[in-house]
Amino acid sequence: MTACAIEPSAGHEDDGVAPAGCTLTADGAYAARLASAGDSWFPERWTLDGPEPYAVPLPRNQPEEPGTEVQPMGDGRVLIHRLVAGRHAFSLLYPTGPGTGELPLGVVGCPDDTARLRLLPPAPGGRRAYALAVGPCSTTVWLVAGGAFGPERLAELPGRCSGGVWLDRTGRLLALDREAGGRTKAVVVDLERGGEVSPLLQIAADSDDRLLLADHDSGLLLIRSDAPSPGQDRLGWGVLGSTLPVRFPECLRLRDCTVTPFAIQPGQILTPESCAVALRVDGPRGRWVGVWRPAERRVHHLPAPEGWLAGAGLWTPEGVLRLPYATEAEPCGVAQVSPPVAVASGPGAVPPPPGPGQSPDARAAGVPPTTGRPPQPSPPARAHPAQPTPPAPGHPLEPAPPAPECSAPEHSGYHPQHPVQPAPPTDPTHPPTPSAPRPVPLQQAPLGRLVTN
């Protein structure tokens, strides 16, 4: 039996990414989190696909440990991962009248106390759940819910893996960030072919290349790599099957801030440049939400609702960002934010003047002045055919200039960041001298032959 964690891992802290406040199913119908009542913890399921969100507590006979993992399933049940007597136990929780029912699924043993085990992000369809066991020299993918005979070992990979992004709608292709030979590269695991592994990202031979998000409709990929700035991770984007290289926009660099993408707008078939990407921005003066589209080459900085379950949220195809939050007055709420409509950016673009307690982008998005309350729901923005400007050419791998300073406005309540001004356009008559090596176009990535329509 493969090695696995002695201590449960909540979220992706080992990957350098702060865990989200709750976990949502792939379709956004349900969410689950570990809620607190005084000094005790209990699972809680949120239903999000009805006219109003509501929460159902799922406590058992005794409180849960703070590191316990929970994950919603597509049928409304909640998978829970506990550490019991040195082994990892998995069960499904569901409401039964005034109480909570529990269906044990089985356990995974832990012969090696140097390894760790955590749940992977919810799989498409919501019928199955997977876990990643990371040992000193190898990583194992487990099917922990949805199998016929309890937990099943599906694949074992050499090297230590992190991350976890689903690349198709069937839950067959899983992207992982594998550390081997001192470098981290994203690879694809085919779970229907015995765990066959293929390389996905190789931007430069000596770079660390991780996949953060992928969208099934547009093919948009969000990537973190140090290829353009050795020793400094930067956010980049590419399109699966594109002939263009990965690009690293300057507007996604905020000094002294951690920028983490957490949701991509679905339904943008064949138009990845117009996809809205939600960003969690953590800075020395607070946390807020960023919205970025590849075609705009700028980030809109918006206030997060009070009590936001940070890092959790999803887009509607119409371009409305839904952010779950919990406060003492409203323990289960979803704020709906309609960011500014995609427009072509340029050096002459001037945002509207902010009102009292607002950032410029907050006013443009229709967010009311800061009052310490979540933004009020707004009707979905009407979809218009986007006319994006052509994206910038691939970023050459050369030292980058200093990043813009990350400092939120000085006012109480929300802490949005002022807009970052777009970089001046490149003179097409004097193109920059390319420097070697350049990023590898994603059309050349071996994943291209694995993905089918």
Side-chain angles (χ1 to χ4, degrees):
M1 186 172 291
T2 189
C4 56
I6 282 295
E7 296 182 1
S9 174
H12 299 269
E13 292 174 295
D14 292 340
D15 307 344
V17 178
C22 70
T23 304
L24 283 73
T25 54
D27 61 2
Y30 294 101
R33 67 172 186 141
L34 204 63
S36 63
D39 296 332
S40 62
W41 298 85
F42 61 92
E44 188 175 72
R45 187 201 70 192
W46 288 26
T47 300
L48 304 177
D49 60 350
E52 293 290 340
Y54 65 92
V56 176
L58 297 171
R60 292 296 292 161
N61 298 328
Q62 60 185 23
E64 306 292 345
E65 295 294 326
T68 300
E69 290 185 297
V70 292
Q71 186 173 114
M73 305 295 291
D75 59 4
R77 294 183 293 181
V78 172
L79 174 68
I80 187 167
H81 164 213
R82 303 183 181 101
L83 183 66
V84 180
R87 299 192 299 175
H88 293 268
F90 297 90
S91 297
L92 289 173
L93 304 179
Y94 53 93
T96 56
T100 300
E102 180 169 353
L103 175 63
L105 299 176
V107 298
V108 175
C110 302
D112 191 332
D113 61 1
T114 64
R116 309 195 72 179
L117 184 146
R118 63 169 174 85
L119 292 175
L120 284 167
R127 295 184 299 272
R128 295 187 169 195
Y130 299 83
L132 200 66
V134 185
C137 302
S138 65
T139 300
T140 303
V141 180
W142 285 86
L143 173 65
V144 296
F149 307 104
E152 301 175 24
R153 184 168 59 180
L154 300 181
E156 188 163 1
L157 292 68
R160 296 175 57 85
C161 294
S162 58
V165 176
W166 296 102
L167 298 175
D168 65 340
R169 296 187 181 280
T170 65
R172 171 183 174 180
L173 300 178
L174 173 66
L176 296 172
D177 303 325
R178 182 171 66 175
E179 179 186 351
R183 293 296 174 188
T184 300
K185 303 289 183 183
V187 298
V188 182
V189 183
D190 191 330
L191 299 180
E192 290 188 5
R193 301 187 63 177
E196 179 179 285
V197 179
S198 299
L200 172 61
L201 290 177
Q202 171 103 3
I203 300 178
D206 58 349
S207 62
D208 292 323
D209 311 318
R210 297 174 172 86
L211 181 64
L212 304 181
L213 288 179
D215 177 61
H216 306 144
D217 296 326
S218 64
L220 179 64
L221 305 179
L222 271 295
I223 295 157
R224 193 183 300 277
S225 174
D226 64 351
S229 305
Q232 300 179 15
D233 284 340
R234 291 185 57 180
L235 286 179
W237 70 281
V239 181
L240 187 61
S242 171
T243 58
L244 295 174
V246 174
R247 279 151 283 183
F248 296 88
E250 197 66 28
C251 65
L252 295 181
R253 301 180 67 211
L254 296 176
R255 191 171 58 193
D256 298 327
C257 284
T258 300
V259 181
T260 307
F262 63 88
I264 300 178
Q265 180 185 359
Q268 310 303 297
I269 306 296
L270 302 179
T271 56
E273 293 87 357
S274 63
C275 284
V277 179
L279 310 169
R280 166 179 170 171
V281 185
D282 292 277
R285 303 193 61 183
R287 174 184 299 138
W288 59 92
V289 178
V291 174
W292 167 79
R293 297 177 182 90
E296 289 188 293
R297 285 179 273 172
R298 63 171 291 181
V299 176
H300 299 280
H301 297 269
L302 307 173
E306 180 184 352
W308 177 40
L309 303 180
L314 75 155
W315 288 97
T316 67
E318 296 78 18
V320 178
L321 180 60
R322 306 186 72 206
L323 302 174
Y325 65 88
T327 64
E328 185 175 351
E330 193 169 359
C332 178
V334 176
Q336 301 193 67
V337 180
S338 298
V341 178
V343 294
S345 61
V350 179
Q358 288 181 293
S359 70
D361 280 333
R363 181 181 180 90
V367 178
T370 300
T371 60
R373 299 188 300 271
Q376 296 300 313
S378 56
R382 187 176 179 182
H384 296 279
Q387 300 293 332
T389 55
H395 197 291
L397 304 187
E398 59 186 8
E405 185 174 1
C406 174
S407 59
E410 295 186 6
H411 61 74
S412 60
Y414 305 129
H415 298 279
Q417 161 76 8
H418 285 300
V420 179
Q421 295 299 323
T426 304
D427 184 356
T429 62
H430 297 84
T433 302
S435 59
R438 290 182 64 84
V440 176
L442 286 176
Q443 188 180 48
Q444 301 175 15
L447 176 65
R449 62 183 175 82
L450 296 178
V451 176
T452 57
N453 293 329

